[in-house]
């Protein structure tokens, strides 16, 4: 038997499936146990690395659930060195309150965020990063005035799976995380939970998972390895095919059907995709 977890983003675009063994779901066959025994002779991940990976995955899912392409990634810097930690925290809180007022009262839009104050506890001059929803152009000037302490750099968030992964990885990177404030997020964010089950109908799992219809594998975020206990582990990151990809697939199937039927009857089907 083995464990299986499944997480699908709120909009259904992203789907993460993990399969792995654990103390509660151990294999019985000698071949799988031997694979674990060989791995146990190697160095396992330190607990800190495991915790960092769990944090990274948590915020990666949070970003996938709540932010999209075109949203704004802000970096707020200080022109002069701030007096200390308390001043930085106060400046950051005031800035977030002003952002909330801008979105809710002036723009009549929902405000949500994920952010962090980098170098708050040392290692360099403090500065803040915050991801917020897309802003209309006319609001950019007003936003920059809300941070009077220095510059506000605004970048467009890519919104793809790899963008969420890289940003979460940066926030949780040891050199950043240990000297930064806690990662902050608004309470109104969607937080989709993953579903877990123990699969008892099979001794172990096939690392080559069949991709569900309508999805494709994001190779950069999918991998196989071993858990901290030394058991085999597979993570598959799936992304839903967009409408254009689906149209291409339908056209390809239609072309193939036309080709076959054309050979059989000497004629072609209509170019409509209905019924295919």
């Amino acid at each position: 038997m083995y464990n299986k977890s499944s997480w699908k983003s709120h909009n259904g675009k992203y789907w993460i499936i993990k399969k792995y063994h654990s103390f509660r779901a151990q294999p019985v066959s000698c071949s799988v146990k031997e694979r674990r025994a060989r791995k146990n002779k190697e160095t396992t991940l330190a607990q800190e690395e495991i915790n960092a990976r769990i944090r990274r995955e948590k915020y990666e899912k949070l970003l996938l659930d709540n932010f999209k392409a075109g949203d704004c990634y802000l970096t707020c810097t200080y022109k002069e060195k701030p007096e200390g930690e308390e001043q930085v925290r106060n400046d950051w809180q005031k800035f977030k309150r002003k952002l909330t007022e801008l979105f809710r009262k002036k723009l009549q839009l929902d405000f949500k965020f994920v952010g962090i104050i980098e170098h708050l506890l040392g290692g360099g001059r403090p500065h803040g990063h915050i991801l917020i929803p897309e802003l209309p152009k006319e609001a950019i000037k007003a936003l920059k005035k809300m941070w009077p302490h220095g510059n506000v750099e605004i970048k467009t968030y890519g919104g793809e799976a790899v963008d969420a992964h890289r940003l979460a990885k940066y926030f949780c990177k040891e050199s950043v995380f240990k000297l930064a404030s806690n990662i902050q997020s608004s309470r109104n964010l969607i937080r989709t939970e993953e579903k877990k089950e123990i699969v008892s109908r099979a001794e172990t799992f096939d690392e080559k998972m069949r991709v569900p219809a309508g999805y494709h594998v994001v190779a950069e975020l999918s991998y196989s390895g071993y858990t901290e206990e030394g058991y085999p582990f597979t993570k598959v990151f799936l992304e839903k095919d967009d409408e254009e990809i689906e149209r291409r697939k339908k056209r390809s199937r239609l072309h193939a059907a036309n080709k076959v039927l054309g050979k059989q009857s000497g004629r072609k089907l209509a170019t409509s995709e209905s019924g295919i």
Side-chain angles (χ1 to χ4, degrees):
M1 67 175 67
Y2 61 88
N3 295 289
K4 179 181 178 181
S5 71
S6 177
W7 179 87
K8 190 177 285 190
S9 62
H10 182 69
N11 61 5
K13 184 176 181 180
Y14 301 107
W15 191 358
I16 301 174
I17 299 173
K18 297 178 186 177
K19 296 180 179 181
Y20 56 96
H21 291 287
S22 68
F23 290 121
R24 290 184 59 196
Q26 296 188 37
V28 176
S29 69
C30 294
S31 60
V32 179
K33 285 186 174 181
E34 286 172 4
R35 287 167 66 190
R36 184 200 174 196
R38 287 197 297 270
K39 183 60 184 178
N40 275 343
K41 294 177 183 178
E42 302 173 18
T43 303
T44 57
L45 291 174
Q47 189 61 45
E48 285 189 6
E49 293 180 47
I50 296 167
N51 293 339
R53 185 192 67 200
I54 293 171
R55 281 196 304 270
R56 183 175 68 246
E57 291 184 353
K58 171 187 172 181
Y59 286 103
E60 180 182 320
K61 292 173 182 176
L62 199 64
L63 297 177
L64 291 172
D65 251 346
N66 292 278
F67 296 93
K68 64 184 189 315
D71 287 341
C72 296
Y73 180 67
L74 314 180
T75 299
C76 303
T77 57
Y78 280 91
K79 186 177 181 180
E80 303 292 338
K81 187 175 180 180
E83 292 181 1
E85 178 185 336
E86 185 176 353
Q87 181 196 335
V88 178
R89 289 188 185 276
N90 289 336
D91 291 342
W92 192 241
Q93 286 300 112
K94 289 178 182 178
F95 181 61
K96 288 191 295 182
R97 284 198 296 268
K98 290 177 181 178
L99 282 174
T100 302
E101 184 178 352
L102 172 67
F103 271 84
R104 294 180 180 174
K105 293 184 179 180
K106 296 182 180 180
L107 300 176
Q108 301 296 308
L109 297 172
D110 188 34
F111 178 64
K112 55 187 178 181
F113 71 87
V114 174
I116 192 171
I117 307 172
E118 193 173 348
H119 296 315
L120 180 67
L121 305 178
R125 182 168 295 188
H127 59 275
H129 301 291
I130 187 167
L131 181 62
I132 64 175
E134 184 177 2
L135 272 170
K137 291 182 180 179
E138 60 270 19
I140 299 297
K141 190 175 181 180
L143 180 144
K144 291 192 172 184
K145 289 181 179 179
M146 294 176 186
W147 182 260
H149 315 288
N151 184 52
V152 178
E153 181 185 23
I154 304 175
K155 291 184 178 180
T156 301
Y157 179 61
E160 298 297 327
V162 290
D163 297 307
H165 174 78
R166 289 167 185 167
L167 184 54
K169 185 177 181 180
Y170 177 77
F171 281 171
C172 298
K173 192 168 71 170
E174 183 179 358
S175 59
V176 173
F177 189 81
K178 285 192 172 183
L179 297 174
S181 65
N182 293 331
I183 301 173
Q184 305 157 14
S185 59
S186 55
R187 295 180 181 179
N188 61 341
L189 293 180
I190 297 168
R191 290 173 167 83
T192 305
E193 297 293 330
E194 69 177 2
K195 298 178 181 179
K196 296 181 179 181
E197 64 174 316
I198 294 179
V199 180
S200 57
R201 63 180 179 273
E203 171 66 9
T204 188
F205 54 88
D206 186 356
E207 292 182 0
K208 297 179 180 179
M209 192 189 79
R210 189 167 66 180
V211 179
Y215 285 84
H216 61 273
V217 175
V218 181
E220 185 175 342
L221 304 181
S222 302
Y223 59 89
S224 293
Y226 291 86
T227 65
E228 51 267 31
E229 294 90 9
Y231 288 113
F233 171 95
T234 290
K235 176 182 178 180
V236 180
F237 197 113
L238 303 168
E239 182 177 16
K240 197 170 187 178
D241 296 338
D242 60 29
E243 292 181 2
E244 179 58 30
I245 293 175
E246 281 297 305
R247 283 195 292 269
R248 289 177 185 173
K249 286 183 177 180
K250 286 181 180 179
R251 285 197 295 269
S252 177
R253 290 195 296 266
L254 180 64
H255 176 74
N258 277 332
K259 193 172 182 180
V260 171
L261 291 175
K263 287 181 179 179
Q264 293 176 348
S265 62
R267 61 181 178 85
K268 288 187 175 182
L269 293 172
T271 56
S272 169
E273 295 181 356
S274 62
I276 299 299

